[in-house]
Amino acid sequence: MAGKKERLFVKGNEAIAMGALAAGCKCFFGYPITPQNDIPEFMSKAMVEAGGEFVQAESEVAAANMLLGAGACGIRAMTSSSSPGMSLKQEAISYMAGSEVPAVIVNMNRGGPGLGDIGPSQGDYFQSTRGGGHGDYRLLVLAPSSAQEAYDMTYDAFDLAFASRNPVLILGDAIIGQMKEPITPREPKKVDPEEGADWRLIGAPKTRDHRIIKSLFLMDGELAGQNRKLQAKYDAWKKLVDFETFEVKDAELVVVAFGSIGRIAKNAVRALRAKGKKVGLFRPKTLYPFPEKALEKLAKEGKRFLTIEHNLGQMIEDVRLSVRKHGDSDLFCVYPGNMPSPDDFEAPILRALGRK
């Protein structure tokens, strides 16, 4: 059919790689760890075919520092890993945030703590939304619930990273990365060759002063000024807040869940709605900035909340901070190491619905 958009049947990990390539990513630095291995495997061929550079680094530490170097040169670059590997990248990520270097980072969260397992988990929520490394900084954190969202969020992440000169994190898990479903690709971006021209390091011609990109500020008051500048940037991100609501208008109880758990919870809500239960879903798409005002509005309307997470309770802190003036939230935890289904959520939702 003329004009019909192409559909591809791919894994979530592959969708992320495709989204990055379509966004104009020119460098990928990675290191193997399950369950994100499909991303570097895909990039090892596709990135070279696209005229870019693929490097399998000697470690996660090396990959993150290569990302710092490429970003400082104004190159659209990305790395990906899973939980233990992300811990190793944190020092370089803190340097990127402190130096205001754009980058895209993907974490396909696995079970923990420690080596844990290779199954899904949302145990890296704190690490992702609180900076993760040393010092006061934040990442813009996007949480897809499908292969299509994984593609779209990665596609948009590079623009967001360069617009704010900051790393952007895509937080998925083994469910998002390994499931296979259709996506609709978007038109490849035409990246402005002058992107970052006012700050990137490309060698100083005689026509301008030299530039320095750094995260070290030793003069009296200099670091305080840099931190004020960074905080103003993070505050400005509030306009980027994004979320999905489902059946919340007349809901007595709103389930709050993100990523793959948000998708599973939506099916549970749908099933309970069919039984006449007044429940709804609120799914944050941006974990930082968190959609606190939208949740506060629902709380002000008198709705009650149940937070469902694939961890021992992390996002619940942000939910409770959002609704604290008007209410609270119950919590149901799926322990990492277990794979939930919509049926598993019906009983805790009904318990919370019946609690006055």
Side-chain angles (χ1 to χ4, degrees):
M1 183 183 296
K4 187 175 181 180
K5 289 189 176 180
E6 179 186 24
R7 296 275 282 168
L8 301 174
F9 192 58
V10 299
K11 283 185 175 183
N13 281 335
E14 294 168 339
I16 283 174
M18 291 176 180
L21 290 166
C25 180
K26 288 301 180 185
C27 287
F28 180 91
F29 310 106
Y31 189 80
I33 184 171
T34 306
Q36 64 84 51
N37 282 332
D38 305 291
I39 301 174
E41 180 181 2
F42 188 98
M43 284 296 206
S44 66
K45 183 173 185 290
M47 177 60 74
V48 177
E49 291 176 345
E53 297 291 336
F54 170 88
V55 179
Q56 180 170 306
E58 62 267 32
S59 69
E60 286 93 348
V61 174
N65 281 282
M66 291 175 185
L67 185 68
L68 167 58
C73 295
I75 297 169
R76 291 193 167 209
M78 183 173 87
T79 191
S80 65
S81 193
S82 296
S83 306
M86 284 298 298
S87 294
L88 292 168
K89 294 178 187 285
Q90 293 306 319
E91 182 184 34
I93 294 172
S94 179
Y95 288 168
M96 281 184 259
S99 305
E100 298 189 81
V101 170
V104 175
I105 303 162
V106 178
N107 179 9
M108 284 302 172
N109 201 160
R110 59 186 271 176
L115 288 174
D117 66 12
I118 61 173
S121 167
Q122 295 181 331
D124 295 356
Y125 181 92
F126 280 156
Q127 181 193 67
S128 303
T129 59
R130 269 63 177 171
H134 59 284
D136 292 297
Y137 74 92
R138 300 284 184 158
L139 307 179
L140 182 59
V141 184
L142 312 177
S145 70
S146 67
Q148 184 67 61
E149 281 192 351
Y151 177 95
D152 290 336
M153 287 181 178
T154 309
Y155 183 90
D156 293 334
F158 289 87
D159 284 349
L160 293 170
F162 273 81
S164 62
R165 284 186 60 184
N166 204 84
V168 175
L169 176 66
I170 311 293
L171 181 62
D173 62 18
I175 297 175
I176 301 297
Q178 294 300 316
M179 69 182 177
K180 203 165 188 177
E181 59 184 351
I183 66 166
T184 301
R186 292 157 70 176
E187 287 295 319
K189 289 183 184 291
K190 294 180 180 178
V191 180
D192 184 357
E194 296 302 308
E195 185 174 56
D198 58 336
W199 56 261
R200 65 191 183 191
L201 304 183
I202 55 173
K206 294 180 180 179
T207 54
R208 67 162 172 81
D209 292 336
H210 70 283
R211 295 169 178 167
I212 298 175
I213 290 180
K214 63 175 184 174
S215 62
L216 181 66
F217 301 92
L218 296 178
M219 300 299 291
D220 187 33
E222 191 180 12
L223 179 59
Q226 175 69 355
N227 276 312
R228 278 192 292 271
K229 178 184 178 185
L230 294 178
Q231 189 58 52
K233 177 197 302 184
Y234 307 149
D235 290 341
W237 286 350
K238 291 178 181 178
K239 66 180 182 295
L240 301 174
V241 161
D242 196 11
F243 55 89
E244 175 195 7
T245 57
F246 177 71
E247 299 282 12
V248 298
K249 188 172 183 180
D250 66 340
E252 296 175 9
L253 179 77
V254 176
V255 176
V256 186
F258 75 92
S260 60
I261 296 300
R263 184 171 179 174
I264 295 169
K266 186 175 183 178
N267 283 331
V269 167
R270 188 179 284 113
L272 289 171
R273 273 281 170 175
K275 298 175 184 178
K277 304 299 182 181
K278 290 188 176 182
V279 295
L281 174 76
F282 184 97
R283 178 173 66 88
K285 295 183 181 181
T286 53
L287 301 183
Y288 191 86
F290 192 73
E292 55 187 18
K293 294 298 182 184
L295 271 177
E296 183 183 18
K297 182 175 182 294
L298 292 175
K300 194 173 182 179
E301 294 171 1
K303 301 185 189 301
R304 292 178 290 117
F305 301 91
L306 169 65
T307 301
I308 300 180
E309 303 185 65
H310 203 166
N311 54 40
L312 305 187
Q314 296 187 26
M315 184 178 68
I316 181 66
E317 295 192 5
D318 286 330
V319 175
R320 285 174 171 162
L321 284 169
S322 300
V323 306
R324 68 190 184 281
K325 294 179 182 177
H326 311 284
D328 199 355
S329 175
D330 289 329
L331 172 66
F332 179 73
C333 296
V334 179
Y335 278 50
N338 291 335
M339 176 71 80
S341 72
D343 292 343
D344 296 324
F345 294 164
E346 289 194 25
I349 292 173
L350 289 172
R351 281 197 300 272
L353 183 62
R355 194 176 292 123
K356 301 296 184 182

